[in-house]
Amino acid sequence: MSGSNSMWGGRFAEGPAAVMREINASIPFDKRMWRQDIAGSKAHVAMLAQQGIVSAHDAATIDAGLDRVAADYAAHGVAEDLALEDIHMQTEARLAEAIGPVAGRLHTARSRNDQVATDFRLWVRDAIDQTLVALDALRVALLTRAEEHAASVMPGFTHLQSAQPVTLGHHLMAYVEMASRDVSRFRDARARMNLCPLGSAALAGTGFPLDRAATAAALGFDGPTRNSLDAVSDRDFAIDYLTAAVQCALHLSRLAEEFVLWASQPFGFVALSDQWSTGSSIMPQKRNPDAAELVRGHAGRIMGCMTSLMVTMKGLPLAYSKDMQDDKPPVFECHDLLGLSIAAMTGMVESATFRTDRMRALAESGFATATDFADWLVREAGLPFREAHHVTGRAVKRAEELGVRLDELPFAEFQAIDARVNEALYDVLSVDASVASRTSFGGTAPANVRAAIAAARETMR
Ligand code: ARG
């Protein structure tokens, strides 16, 4: 029957077109770049006028029209019109509504390929700038708490076994080092990406007499990109950003994991503030470190974002391919997750109550100053380190048998193990003496920690 045919026939003819429109559209996500798109267009049209490619009058009309479109976006958001595909066509359509056919002159000597490459660079550059501000806040929080606890003793761990006493300040400063490397990686990425693709056109450049240096300067770039094919197909800048973000997220996940451990009852090193704890719907006593757990988890998703863009780019021939439209969602997602993660860790560091009494008790209970005794035997009694290690091992064993700390072991017991000792050995067995003695550059001595804090503050100026 022809009726049934016309039923599915009509639907079939319409169906693929609708799906085509849907798969093709990036407006649902690239509308996030509207500010960059407007800025790029304003720089472009100003240059076209300066070069006599469009008249000064038309350029002024277009520029004012772009301001109106921007004001409308700011007030009402960007409509998700799938038929208009992306933010570039959306803005041009809005512009035409605002100023009429003269809007059509804006796209002279420009393609969406160099346009999107420029917008996206501007967006990633802004994302990096925001991340740098956030990382500074994290570093300030860590430095503040490190200064407060420059001399607070805690157990230092290797293999998560009590190893040697360190100070909490020293431990927190380790994360300042990591955050500072992150800052340096983001700055590197920013410096490397800061060339402007605009004027590369679709892939081959253009015959119009552009001043690419002018648009680059207007948009805060150091200059124009050098090869049009590379410029429209390069997404290294986004991958540089993502790899820096991954390293940063890895660091945050380690700090988050320490907070999860430290907030647990067996450790009891930290009490998270109410603002950074959550309750359980069934167990009334619970104060869970959910934010720290989510920072730990977000690191995995951020790695997924990096992998996503790398896989998209792998094996793509020059120049632009539509695959590259998928570059934006993982970068946007990464930026949102990383921003939350840095802010959450900053808040937790700022507001945590560190249980230094508990840290000290644990540092004192694990024979953590055994190395200090061995070092003393080398220094004061002239033993070879290997032999000192054995003597100390026997002392630890004896203390364990008697159920006392190393510094509680009676002198007669030490003497029975090795006659070369004298009572001065007790001077090195306290955890305070231990940390104070570690004055090698980069060591945990409170004086070193204070110097490291001052040096870090100096580099942050
Ligand atoms: N929405 C596109 C993207 O994000 C813009 C570039 C489109 N270029 C093209 N030749 N179809 O990649």
Side-chain angles (χ1 to χ4, degrees), residues 29 32 120 123-124 238-239 241-243 245-246 301-313 323-338:
F29 51 86
R32 252 182 107 155
F120 197 29
W123 196 93
V124 172
I239 293 177
Y241 161 73
L242 289 168
T243 53
V246 166
R301 291 176 62 190
I302 289 170
M303 271 176 250
C305 294
M306 179 194 73
T307 307
S308 167
L309 183 54
M310 285 183 173
V311 173
T312 294
M313 295 309 294
D323 315 40
M324 289 164 62
Q325 178 164 284
D326 282 342
D327 56 1
K328 287 170 278 301
V331 169
F332 294 164
E333 185 184 5
C334 172
H335 180 62
D336 293 343
L337 292 173
L338 189 66

Side-chain angles (χ1 to χ4, degrees), residues 24-27 29-30 33 84-89 111-117 120 202 232 235 320-328:
N24 204 31
S26 54
I27 188 70
F29 51 86
D30 68 16
M33 303 194 304
L84 287 172
E85 257 185 75
D86 55 28
I87 185 61
H88 323 297
M89 289 173 64
S111 154
R112 276 186 295 156
N113 294 350
D114 61 340
Q115 189 178 357
V116 74
F120 197 29
V232 297
R235 294 295 181 270
Y320 178 85
S321 297
K322 195 65 176 246
D323 315 40
M324 289 164 62
Q325 178 164 284
D326 282 342
D327 56 1
K328 287 170 278 301

Side-chain angles (χ1 to χ4, degrees), residues 178-224:
M178 294 179 234
S180 298
R181 288 197 294 277
D182 292 329
V183 164
S184 135
R185 265 184 285 271
F186 281 116
R187 285 196 186 135
D188 281 354
R190 192 192 196 287
R192 196 175 304 110
M193 66 169 277
N194 206 31
L195 295 175
C196 185
L198 201 59
S200 301
L203 76 167
T206 170
F208 287 99
L210 303 185
D211 182 351
R212 291 196 57 209
T215 39
L219 294 169
F221 288 107
D222 298 329

Side-chain angles (χ1 to χ4, degrees), residues 155-163 171 257-258 261-262 267 269:
F157 300 96
T158 61
H159 313 266
L160 203 57
Q161 305 280 316
S162 190
H171 195 113
E257 168 65 6
E258 306 235 56
L261 281 175
W262 292 358
F267 271 83
F269 284 5

Side-chain angles (χ1 to χ4, degrees), residues 1-10:
M1 249 179 80
S2 64
S4 63
N5 253 2
S6 69
M7 264 187 77
W8 68 250

